[in-house]
Amino acid sequence: MSYKGRFKPKEYKKYKGDPTKVIYRSMWELRFMKYCDSNPSILEWSSEEIIIPYRGLDGKVHRYFPDFWIKYQNAQGDIKCEVIEVKPKAQTKKPTKKNKHYGKYLREARTYGINQLKWEAAREYCKDRNYEFRILTEDHLKK
């Protein structure tokens, strides 16, 4: 099975966006898409449909497309919305130089720095809309 591809929602009316253009970029994203599509508590969802501006390491404004937006009903019956990013756990931790080639360390440090800027912008975006922001890793998405 490929790590990238198109997902066709069975419950396409729940998908907010064009349900013929849903792209997954990892098996973890595919797994979460299947969960959103099949979970009756999730009322609406989308993938990479939200655009959040953020200031990058270069000082310029860039656009961040979070992996998911979901609207769901929690156990208490409240309607909630979340913006969700799916990332390997390694990319959520500050890299260390320990036993790494310097070039690899620099790439990891740059990725980490960019992610931190994106996620801070996402937290502000969510705060303004009374949404939650969550980062899911493989620990959250195991069967």
Side-chain angles (χ1 to χ4, degrees):
M1 189 177 239
S2 174
Y3 289 125
K4 295 180 183 180
R6 288 192 185 269
F7 177 75
K8 288 188 176 185
K10 291 178 183 160
E11 301 291 330
Y12 65 91
K13 290 181 180 177
K14 285 173 53 170
Y15 189 79
K16 297 301 157 201
D18 186 342
T20 66
K21 296 182 178 173
V22 183
I23 306 289
Y24 62 89
R25 301 178 200 294
S26 72
M27 291 286 82
W28 303 119
E29 287 183 14
L30 176 60
R31 183 169 289 168
F32 192 73
M33 288 175 180
K34 289 177 179 178
Y35 172 80
C36 289
D37 193 40
S38 65
N39 187 323
S41 295
I42 295 181
L43 308 172
E44 299 176 0
W45 68 282
S46 66
S47 176
E48 296 186 358
E49 299 282 350
I50 293 173
I51 302 169
I52 300 174
Y54 73 98
R55 195 160 301 277
L57 296 173
D58 58 5
K60 295 179 183 175
V61 176
H62 297 269
R63 299 183 329 155
Y64 168 41
F65 297 83
D67 293 326
F68 298 98
W69 170 85
I70 62 170
K71 181 178 182 179
Y72 63 96
Q73 188 167 16
N74 68 14
Q76 293 75 35
D78 300 322
I79 304 297
K80 301 281 187 176
C81 294
E82 289 187 20
V83 172
I84 296 172
E85 183 68 22
V86 175
K87 279 285 182 239
K89 187 166 50 173
Q91 289 185 16
T92 66
K93 296 179 180 182
K94 192 171 186 174
T96 63
K97 292 180 186 176
K98 190 175 182 179
N99 299 325
K100 286 186 187 160
H101 182 273
Y102 190 66
K104 181 177 181 183
Y105 168 74
L106 287 179
R107 281 189 304 279
E108 289 177 0
R110 185 175 190 282
T111 297
Y112 178 81
I114 292 169
N115 284 340
Q116 294 304 307
L117 294 171
K118 288 178 180 180
W119 299 341
E120 184 54 39
R123 287 182 188 95
E124 287 297 316
Y125 176 93
C126 289
K127 182 179 173 187
D128 291 346
R129 289 158 182 80
N130 201 26
Y131 294 175
E132 295 292 322
F133 176 68
R134 262 198 308 166
I135 300 164
L136 300 181
T137 69
E138 58 271 23
D139 291 348
H140 302 99
L141 298 167
K142 289 180 180 171
K143 284 188 176 180

